[in-house]
Amino acid sequence: MTDKISKMVPLSELTLLDRFLFDEVMENEQIHQLILEIILGKDIALLTRAETEKELRTSPLLRSIRMDVFSMDEEGFIYNTEAQKQPKPDLPKRSRYYQGLLDSSLLEPGSVHFNLLNDSFIIIITPYDVFGLGKYRYTFRARCDENTSCILPDGATRIFLKQFRQLNCFRHPAN
């Protein structure tokens, strides 16, 4: 027990990318909606309350995922917002896996109409530039190699954001 206590980080040292604080902040419907609106640059009316640590699995034999924050808006768009504090070289493939499991959970068994799949956004926020190209934002949608203006209308968008600076909610700006 003392080992676990010694690893606890004081609340004053947490940033928004720490799991506990991220989940607590994003569970506030107004804050979550505002963050999504800022990221996507459009008004969003959330239909469902944000679910934190939502688990998806397709089989007990296969790897599951635990989404940091999951929500849906009134238009049926799905949002999965993730905070990744530590550098992970597998984030692009992880986002692909999340997309696959998320999609597999959106259709009822026996459904034959794939156009019923909701449009979805997987948003990953990190304190570092995932692709090392000097951008703070990378937005991915499937495009045709032969004509890059032709976007595959599958409704899947993945966004990787570099947090501008480390924010600490509990420190006074003068500190």
Side-chain angles (χ1 to χ4, degrees):
M1 182 69 168
T2 58
D3 210 22
K4 188 170 187 144
I5 292 173
S6 66
K7 291 181 183 180
M8 290 179 63
V9 177
L11 194 56
S12 63
E13 294 179 20
L14 295 179
T15 71
L16 286 175
L17 292 181
D18 287 291
R19 179 181 306 249
F20 169 77
L21 192 54
F22 187 76
D23 288 355
E24 286 298 310
V25 168
M26 296 295 267
E27 281 181 342
N28 179 303
E29 188 176 336
Q30 293 171 326
I31 293 173
H32 182 196
Q33 182 171 320
L34 180 61
I35 288 171
L36 290 174
E37 288 177 347
I38 290 169
I39 291 170
L40 298 172
K42 66 177 189 168
D43 289 338
I44 295 171
L46 292 176
L47 178 66
T48 62
R49 185 170 171 79
E51 292 180 61
T52 57
E53 302 298 320
K54 180 178 173 79
E55 187 171 331
L56 288 178
R57 65 176 65 239
T58 55
S59 162
L61 302 175
L62 299 175
R63 191 177 195 289
S64 65
I65 62 170
R66 186 172 295 128
M67 296 183 286
D68 288 352
V69 184
F70 174 88
S71 60
M72 180 188 298
D73 71 14
E74 289 179 349
E75 295 180 49
F77 293 119
I78 301 290
Y79 304 95
N80 171 26
T81 311
E82 300 284 325
Q84 182 59 56
K85 191 173 181 179
Q86 302 302 320
K88 299 276 186 182
D90 68 349
L91 279 181
K93 294 259 178 140
R94 180 187 294 198
S95 73
R96 176 179 154 193
Y97 193 75
Y98 275 45
Q99 185 69 58
L101 280 182
L102 179 61
D103 286 346
S104 71
S105 72
L106 295 176
L107 292 178
E108 295 292 325
S111 178
V112 295
H113 299 290
F114 291 99
N115 282 334
L116 295 175
L117 279 172
N118 304 61
D119 286 1
S120 64
F121 293 86
I122 294 179
I123 302 164
I124 301 174
I125 305 168
T126 71
Y128 59 93
D129 181 346
V130 173
F131 300 97
L133 300 174
K135 305 279 186 204
Y136 77 93
R137 178 188 181 116
Y138 300 90
T139 303
F140 293 91
R141 293 182 186 92
R143 295 184 183 273
C144 175
D145 285 346
E146 291 76 20
N147 181 345
T148 56
S149 67
C150 179
I151 297 173
L152 185 67
D154 64 356
T157 303
R158 289 183 264 174
I159 300 171
F160 296 83
L161 292 175
K162 177 183 181 265
Q163 182 184 11
F164 283 115
R165 61 189 169 104
Q166 285 295 99
L167 298 174
N168 187 304
C169 291
F170 301 102
R171 290 191 188 133
H172 188 275
N175 292 342

